[in-house]
Amino acid sequence: MNNITVSAPGKLMLLGEHAVVYGRPCLVTAVDQRMSVTIELTDQPIFELEAPEVQITNYKKQITNLGTGNIPKGAQFVELAVKNYLTSLRGAERRSNLSGIKVSTKSEFSSQFGFGSSSASTVCVIAALSKLTNQSLSNKELFDLSYKTVLDIQGKGSGFDVAAAIFGGTLHYITGGKLIEPVNIPSLPLIIGYTGVKADTVTLVNQVSDLAQKYPEIVEDIYDQILLLVEIAKVGLEKNHLEEVGQVMNINQGLLSALGVSSDKLETMIYAARNAGAYGAKLSGAGGGDCMIALAPPSKISAVKKAIEKAGGQILEVETNAEGVRIEP
Ligand code: PMV
């Protein structure tokens, strides 16, 4: 075998963002919009990348130069994933199996949505290379190498998106993969509104960390309150008590707003959803932009979607609980 295609799902944070970076749990669900990566082994010792959706075409460099020089943003995760995977192989395996590597990525969703395209492509690259080189990585090994790659680039992050890409479903998760527990629930009737604004996760995480330095007790208390909300929501989801889940989503939103990561646009869309009859609505992910999510009774779903659109949002139709990383035929 000298080529393979692997796909992984995008994700949406349900509750617990930001606090999860500081050791509290979160709830994340995998969505049925997937990133797919095809890898071909080639004869020349060259790394090639085609990732048109992030404006990378005909990108080439010597395998020995991976990870060096000025790497365009759209190429960083794939290039570092290849580099970290090759470094993880012992010398003999590396020489016998590999010469050049050509990677092509294709996404069913825009990298602007905040669905975790970088983490999903990192996971796909490492899963694909391990198959092509006959190394059977466990999901935990795949997680550790993918998470290391994300941290090499971003410096900070809980890895919740990496876990969603690998394991799929809905997960109860603690930073670094300390807890990766499936939450056994059917697909959620989640309404997703995209703000049209790209959030910069690293900037927002740093902003919250600055706030925590200035008001440590207050921010730690907020994280602890978020932890309690996550635990209530987990039980609520398992019992299908969506009204209660909606209520704790609203409280979580208030706390995220207190952390300074909400925005006018997010608030407008969130209030529009609530006023149209949603049980609850909140931002999803780092904040600042990307998406908001809402839960509503079946009779109100259509009104909530319309209200979000009227508030300037774009409705994204996705199913939650999607399957994790897989090899495509
Ligand atoms: O911006 P996103 O969708 O990748 O979500 C970031 C969520 C944070 O909790 C703020 C950061 C993290 O790595 O968990």
Side-chain angles (χ1 to χ4, degrees):
M1 177 166 58
N2 71 352
N3 82 70
I4 192 170
T5 298
V6 169
S7 78
K11 57 77 192 154
L12 276 169
M13 180 71 93
L14 297 176
L15 280 96
E17 49 272 271
H18 289 286
V20 68
V21 180
Y22 303 96
R24 279 70 166 187
C26 73
L27 291 168
V28 55
T29 191
V31 297
D32 68 344
Q33 303 227 341
R34 303 182 75 84
M35 166 64 73
S36 73
V37 168
T38 300
I39 297 195
E40 277 170 66
L41 299 184
T42 57
D43 296 335
Q44 301 302 314
I46 291 177
F47 166 71
E48 293 173 65
L49 175 61
E50 294 293 332
E53 59 280 327
V54 285
Q55 289 78 50
I56 301 287
T57 50
N58 203 22
Y59 179 76
K60 288 185 188 172
K61 77 204 286 183
Q62 294 287 328
I63 290 274
T64 45
N65 291 340
L66 281 174
T68 64
N70 212 349
I71 308 172
K73 209 161 182 264
Q76 282 176 351
F77 287 84
V78 170
E79 181 168 334
L80 266 287
V82 172
K83 174 175 184 263
N84 283 342
Y85 181 73
L86 295 182
T87 309
S88 79
L89 291 176
R90 273 158 291 156
E93 287 163 348
R94 212 178 308 175
R95 279 191 301 278
S96 67
N97 277 318
L98 289 167
S99 178
I101 292 171
K102 178 170 183 198
V103 181
S104 316
T105 68
K106 212 164 113 197
S107 180
E108 289 174 349
F109 58 89
S110 158
S111 64
Q112 305 295 305
F113 291 166
F115 280 3
S117 52
S118 305
S119 296
S121 52
T122 301
V123 165
C124 288
V125 166
I126 295 173
L129 283 174
S130 69
K131 267 281 167 228
L132 282 174
T133 55
N134 301 314
Q135 304 291 307
S136 52
L137 288 188
S138 67
N139 275 346
K140 187 66 172 82
E141 288 167 324
L142 174 58
F143 175 88
D144 288 342
L145 205 48
S146 303
Y147 182 48
K148 173 188 164 19
T149 304
V150 171
L151 287 185
D152 284 349
I153 297 162
Q154 288 189 353
K156 275 185 188 150
S158 66
F160 78 107
D161 41 5
V162 174
I166 294 172
F167 295 89
T170 298
L171 303 173
H172 186 215
Y173 177 85
I174 295 183
T175 189
K178 290 190 195 82
L179 172 77
I180 306 177
E181 180 193 22
V183 182
N184 293 317
I185 51 165
S187 183
L188 273 177
L190 206 62
I191 301 162
I192 296 119
Y194 172 54
T195 58
V197 179
K198 177 84 194 112
D200 183 351
T201 305
V202 175
T203 304
L204 286 151
V205 169
N206 287 335
Q207 198 179 301
V208 172
S209 135
D210 289 347
L211 195 73
Q213 291 219 331
K214 191 152 183 214
Y215 305 103
E217 290 92 354
I218 294 170
V219 173
E220 286 295 320
D221 272 1
I222 292 179
Y223 295 155
D224 286 338
Q225 302 300 322
I226 293 176
L227 172 152
L228 296 176
L229 296 172
V230 165
E231 299 310 311
I232 296 170
K234 176 176 176 277
V235 176
L237 286 172
E238 283 163 345
K239 294 189 169 159
N240 202 31
H241 291 172
L242 296 188
E243 190 168 354
E244 187 178 26
V245 177
Q247 203 165 38
V248 293
M249 283 167 65
N250 286 340
I251 306 176
N252 193 170
Q253 171 61 25
L255 296 172
L256 288 164
S257 188
L259 292 177
V261 298
S262 196
S263 71
D264 284 7
K265 183 83 185 264
L266 281 165
E267 294 288 343
T268 307
M269 290 163 63
I270 287 164
Y271 275 91
R274 290 179 191 163
N275 291 337
Y279 291 137
K282 65 181 280 292
L283 65 84
S284 170
D290 287 350
C291 291
M292 51 75 69
I293 53 176
L295 271 182
S299 62
K300 299 283 181 183
I301 289 179
S302 142
V304 169
K305 286 183 179 171
K306 282 201 190 98
I308 292 172
E309 280 173 343
K310 207 160 158 235
Q314 179 192 342
I315 298 295
L316 304 178
E317 299 288 351
V318 304
E319 291 285 329
T320 68
N321 259 356
E323 190 186 348
V325 64
R326 67 178 183 227
I327 295 167
E328 296 293 338

